[in-house]
Amino acid sequence: MKVYKFGGASVKDAAGVKNVAKVLASQGYENCLLVVSAIGKTTNALEVAVKHYFEKENYQQTLEDIKRSHIQIANGLFDDKNDIFGEISLFFDEMIFFLRQNKSPNYNFVYDQVVSCGEMISSKILSEYLISQGFENTWLDARDFIKTDHNYREGAVDWELTEKNIASLGKQKNYVTQGFIGSEENNFTVTLGREGSDYSAAIFAYCLDAEHMTIWKDVPGVMTGDPRKFQDVSLLSNISYEEAIEMAYYGASVIHPKTLQPLKQKNIPFFVKSFLEPEKPGTQVGISPKNEQTESYILKDGQALLRIATRDFSFIAEEHLSLIFSALAKFKIKISLMQNTAISLALCVEDKYGNILALNDELSKNFNTEIVKNVSLFTVRNADMKHLTKFYKDKDVLLEQISMRTLQMVING
Ligand code: ADP
Ligand code: ASP
Ligand code: MG
């Protein structure tokens, strides 16, 4: 089977949904499993609705606005007698019913039950639209297949169960399903982390032993830098799984970092292509890599720099590190870069859940700490060591590290 993933940008409006059919026509449509994300920025909007719900603000109005934008897209795709309009309304009625009945104070649990609706609706719209255009498919609820633990908002996949479930799918058919979501043992929804639809596609590809997997993006493929942030970038036509995973890990957001590991395990060819120019080859990952030495640039913003020092001039030792790392795990704060001296440790961290001040309170019981918020991590892969100075120009560098051919710097702003 082939696995295709269509992200939010590819289905941001009615024209985008129509374009998916064009992409499929250009690729040959047989034995495909399509994974689709929420339409456009729906996930962000649903996050706001959850926040309003917990802050006892008017979350119904927020949901009403999201519903209206989906109806508007459906108006551009279906005649007004189509069942899809009833289905869209039902999703929103059920969401409001769930929120009214809900007694759980667990923000992450409620978040997952609500935010997952973005993918449920987009997948219904895409499936119905494709059927109306002659692209037969069966709509699947990904939560019946991808099983996870109870770690709401960042579910860990139960691979054994998931493989068993996905193996039950007939391989001579076409399917449309959701990215980003799975479910725990009681069938409550668990999301796989923001931007996790690429990862969902890789889970399906792995469990189906897919022939190949393609993620369709608004860029020509993986480039030497994010074209929104860097000028004069070019396409990397062939890279290895290793290069792709390193780039994704350092923050090249074109591929979700968890995507590569399942694909690499089974050597599944992986393509990143443009949904605007589907006939172009895009980037091939994992097949005869050519661009391994090409310099590429990654800017990961929204980071914080945490400096931790012992109070008594003692060395940063294993016991200290163990205390620090368990506090990071407790507050779900991830390290992007770390560097230590005899008596201090500097961590560039990503605080997805807004816990940095709580972490600081905990650490300051034992250490002297300092936080610099809103810093960026700038990474140069395969850096040309002879010309490094150009990267320092006009930058307020707070921390730097060179390992092998990778230059990294934490910069203010
Ligand atoms: P999706 O629609 O699947 O959610 P994303 O918006 O997550 O797609 O990913 C596509 C975006 O990734 C591009 O618009 C681009 O701004 C960004 N990007 C970051 N790094 C790179 C890179 N190295 N090459 C290409 N695009 C990149
Ligand atoms: N809709 C989810 C998000 O925006 C998942 C994804 O798009 O990959 O985070
Ligand atoms: Mg995305």
Side-chain angles (χ1 to χ4, degrees):
M1 288 200 79
K2 293 168 256 190
V3 174
Y4 291 143
K5 180 256 170 171
F6 290 92
S10 69
V11 291
K12 70 178 192 309
D13 49 24
V17 177
K18 288 181 182 170
N19 184 59
V20 172
K22 282 194 211 139
V23 172
L24 295 177
S26 80
Q27 302 299 302
Y29 181 67
E30 53 183 22
N31 309 334
C32 297
L33 181 130
L34 271 50
V35 171
V36 65
S37 306
I39 283 173
K41 302 279 176 221
T42 303
T43 308
N44 294 359
L46 287 166
E47 279 188 341
V48 172
V50 176
K51 191 163 169 282
H52 285 170
Y53 170 74
F54 275 97
E55 288 168 354
K56 307 221 175 328
E57 282 178 40
N58 191 354
Y59 68 89
Q60 282 106 325
Q61 186 53 51
T62 317
L63 291 177
E64 196 50 48
D65 293 343
I66 303 171
K67 177 175 162 184
R68 201 170 334 103
S69 67
H70 282 83
I71 298 275
Q72 201 182 342
I73 289 172
N75 273 327
L77 298 168
F78 304 99
D79 68 58
D80 52 10
K81 290 188 195 59
N82 197 291
D83 290 347
I84 196 79
F85 294 98
E87 292 185 65
I88 295 174
S89 291
L90 194 63
F91 275 119
F92 285 94
D93 292 347
E94 283 175 357
M95 233 188 294
I96 289 175
F97 182 77
F98 165 80
L99 288 169
R100 284 196 184 132
Q101 299 292 309
N102 174 58
K103 300 270 183 297
S104 171
N106 182 341
Y107 193 98
N108 293 346
F109 166 78
V110 173
Y111 174 104
D112 277 1
Q113 310 320 303
V114 172
V115 166
S116 52
C117 292
E119 267 69 11
M120 296 304 285
I121 304 168
S122 64
S123 62
K124 274 278 174 198
I125 292 177
L126 181 64
S127 170
E128 292 293 332
Y129 176 73
L130 291 177
I131 291 171
S132 76
Q133 299 303 302
F135 295 90
E136 277 310 316
N137 67 81
T138 303
W139 179 88
L140 302 176
D141 186 336
R143 298 170 302 185
D144 295 337
F145 296 90
I146 297 182
K147 300 306 281 189
T148 68
D149 63 4
H150 292 86
N151 193 14
Y152 300 106
R153 285 180 83 176
E154 192 83 57
V157 173
D158 177 336
W159 282 95
E160 211 175 290
L161 257 181
T162 302
E163 260 192 283
K164 204 166 113 217
N165 293 337
I166 296 178
S168 69
L169 283 171
K171 293 194 180 174
Q172 304 299 318
K173 284 176 78 173
N174 296 307
Y175 300 100
V176 172
T177 194
Q178 310 78 39
F180 185 48
I181 65 174
S183 69
E184 34 88 315
E185 60 186 352
N186 297 315
N187 294 328
F188 283 108
T189 309
V190 181
T191 62
L192 305 176
R194 283 301 310 263
E195 304 294 331
S197 296
D198 294 349
Y199 180 43
S200 299
I203 297 169
F204 276 103
Y206 176 91
C207 297
L208 289 165
D209 286 320
E211 244 170 79
H212 54 80
M213 165 171 149
T214 304
I215 55 178
W216 296 95
K217 300 276 170 173
D218 58 358
V219 281
V222 180
M223 313 196 66
T224 51
D226 183 344
R228 288 180 215 258
K229 295 179 181 166
F230 298 94
Q231 287 172 342
D232 302 326
V233 289
S234 56
L235 180 71
L236 294 167
S237 54
N238 295 74
I239 52 174
S240 63
Y241 294 110
E242 289 78 7
E243 184 63 17
I245 202 166
E246 296 278 341
M247 286 183 75
Y249 176 79
Y250 291 132
S253 58
V254 63
I255 308 175
H256 188 278
K258 285 186 178 170
T259 313
L260 279 312
Q261 196 256 354
L263 299 176
K264 159 78 182 141
Q265 269 193 48
K266 288 197 177 171
N267 283 322
I268 297 173
F270 171 41
F271 301 86
V272 182
K273 295 212 231 184
S274 162
F275 59 75
L276 299 167
E277 297 179 304
E279 63 295 335
K280 297 235 169 116
T283 299
Q284 302 192 4
V285 180
I287 316 149
S288 49
K290 277 192 216 140
N291 302 117
E292 291 309 275
Q293 304 302 318
T294 313
E295 197 169 80
S296 62
Y297 320 99
I298 305 152
L299 189 66
K300 193 176 190 185
D301 40 30
Q303 307 286 297
L305 181 66
L306 189 58
R307 291 198 179 100
I308 305 162
T310 54
R311 288 226 174 90
D312 55 1
F313 223 62
S314 63
F315 296 135
I316 286 270
E318 289 73 15
E319 311 83 78
H320 300 125
L321 291 174
S322 146
L323 261 177
I324 295 165
F325 287 140
S326 33
L328 286 160
K330 176 172 160 197
F331 292 106
K332 298 191 174 176
I333 293 177
K334 291 198 174 127
I335 303 174
S336 307
L337 182 77
M338 114 181 159
Q339 202 172 74
N340 69 311
T341 68
I343 56 164
S344 74
L345 180 69
L347 300 173
C348 175
V349 294
E350 186 164 354
D351 174 30
K352 275 194 197 157
Y353 304 105
N355 291 334
I356 191 96
L357 294 179
L359 170 76
N360 190 45
D361 284 350
E362 179 133 337
L363 292 177
S364 54
K365 288 180 198 154
N366 296 295
F367 303 96
N368 288 334
T369 61
E370 186 200 346
I371 309 176
V372 190
K373 286 197 194 165
N374 297 324
V375 300
S376 308
L377 177 62
F378 176 49
T379 303
V380 185
R381 292 278 301 156
N382 304 313
D384 176 354
M385 296 298 170
K386 285 194 228 87
H387 299 107
L388 286 188
T389 43
K390 68 178 180 207
F391 297 119
Y392 289 80
K393 221 173 115 223
D394 305 326
K395 289 192 185 80
D396 178 7
V397 179
L398 303 173
L399 189 74
E400 64 190 308
Q401 192 160 293
I402 299 178
S403 54
M404 306 294 282
R405 285 172 56 84
T406 302
L407 164 71
Q408 292 195 284
M409 47 176 89
V410 176
I411 48 183
N412 220 342

